[in-house]
Amino acid sequence: ELKVEQNPLFLSMQEGKNYTIYCNYSTTSDRLYWYRQDPGKSLESLFVLLSNGAVKQEGRLMASLDTKARLSTLHITAAVHDLSATYFCAVDLYGTASKLTFGTGTRLQVTL
Amino acid sequence: GAVVSQHPSWVICKSGTSVKIECRSLDFQATTMFWYRQFPKQSLMLMATSNEGSKATYEQGVEKDKFLINHASLTLSTLTVTSAHPEDSSFYICSAGSYEQYFGPGTRLTVT
């Protein structure tokens, strides 16, 4: 059974600081996604990582994938309040862009 | 990007009644759609895979007689919660897509 764990589960950080969210998964997979969820809303796609060593950046967020270590990271640079949300990673076990197993989620709170 | 809609966005029903939730792919066809359930402050759990023209595939522990799924066309899947109980209150989210999954806005169900 595929298990996907994120840490930390909750992160409070000040504006301007840097931090990394980690996503570990238990079974080999070459496809991983990162999503953002605001309270009461559905998921917003952030990154699609399709191979070992993949790195993608958008604004203050950068995601990477190490399939050998079964680890993905979401790095936040110079956080701003607007980044406050819950972040989920999701693993595509079969590599078919279909059935996803979600991580536990990381609730990020950026304080002024 | 591709758009997935859900209707209704929120619904309140009395215990013992049934409620139907629709999931539509607006600008693409989807032979497969996925239904997720999310409890407050928790992650998304896959409930079932909806297959156009055939029976849905349910995840372990999900009662297929309680959560009826119908995928009658390439753009519409429905989830019917039968004989709803307060413990069925949750946020239901559907997804569809090929290269990646696009998520609907979600339906908040409250059973009183």
Side-chain angles (χ1 to χ4, degrees):
Chain A
E1 179 190 347
L2 173 61
K3 292 186 178 179
V4 185
E5 295 183 346
Q6 289 179 234
N7 71 82
L9 297 182
F10 176 74
L11 174 59
S12 180
M13 57 190 298
Q14 287 183 322
E15 275 200 335
K17 299 292 186 183
N18 305 330
Y19 208 84
T20 300
I21 298 170
Y22 297 89
C23 172
N24 293 273
Y25 52 98
S26 61
T27 306
T28 301
S29 174
D30 291 335
R31 189 184 288 250
L32 187 140
Y33 303 82
W34 282 96
Y35 295 94
R36 168 181 172 146
Q37 186 178 38
D38 291 298
K41 305 286 187 180
S42 188
L43 301 180
E44 173 190 350
S45 178
L46 295 175
F47 300 107
V48 180
L49 303 171
L50 299 177
S51 62
N52 186 42
V55 177
K56 291 196 174 179
Q57 182 166 3
E58 181 72 35
R60 301 175 187 273
L61 301 177
M62 183 173 70
S64 67
L65 178 61
D66 181 342
T67 58
K68 293 181 180 178
R70 299 177 187 170
L71 170 69
S72 179
T73 62
L74 179 66
H75 186 73
I76 303 157
T77 301
V80 292
H81 182 66
D82 287 350
L83 289 178
S84 297
T86 298
Y87 293 85
F88 291 98
C89 62
V91 176
D92 179 355
L93 181 59
Y94 301 110
T96 56
S98 56
K99 184 172 167 177
L100 300 179
T101 300
F102 280 82
T104 45
T106 296
R107 189 160 74 91
L108 172 64
Q109 183 178 65
V110 181
T111 57
L112 298 172
Chain B
V3 179
V4 175
S5 70
Q6 281 184 243
H7 178 80
S9 55
W10 60 272
V11 58
I12 301 173
C13 71
K14 291 187 176 181
S15 189
T17 62
S18 297
V19 61
K20 181 185 287 187
I21 302 169
E22 294 184 348
C23 176
R24 292 181 187 273
S25 55
L26 297 186
D27 49 4
F28 65 101
Q29 294 183 330
T31 55
T32 304
M33 292 182 175
F34 299 89
W35 287 96
Y36 294 85
R37 181 174 183 177
Q38 185 181 32
F39 291 108
K41 300 191 187 301
Q42 293 189 24
S43 187
L44 280 75
M45 296 296 295
L46 179 65
M47 297 176 65
T49 303
S50 174
N51 304 298
E52 188 268 336
S54 65
K55 291 182 178 180
T57 305
Y58 292 83
E59 295 301 303
Q60 192 171 9
V62 177
E63 299 177 61
K64 61 181 181 180
D65 294 331
K66 181 169 186 61
F67 298 99
L68 300 180
I69 291 173
N70 184 273
H71 196 145
S73 76
L74 288 171
T75 59
L76 173 65
S77 174
T78 60
L79 168 68
T80 301
V81 183
T82 63
S83 186
H85 291 284
E87 56 265 32
D88 298 324
S89 299
S90 189
F91 193 46
Y92 293 87
I93 306 174
C94 69
S95 75
S98 52
Y99 170 71
E100 66 173 292
Q101 288 296 300
Y102 298 95
F103 287 83
T107 297
R108 187 161 305 282
L109 170 64
T110 300
V111 184
T112 61

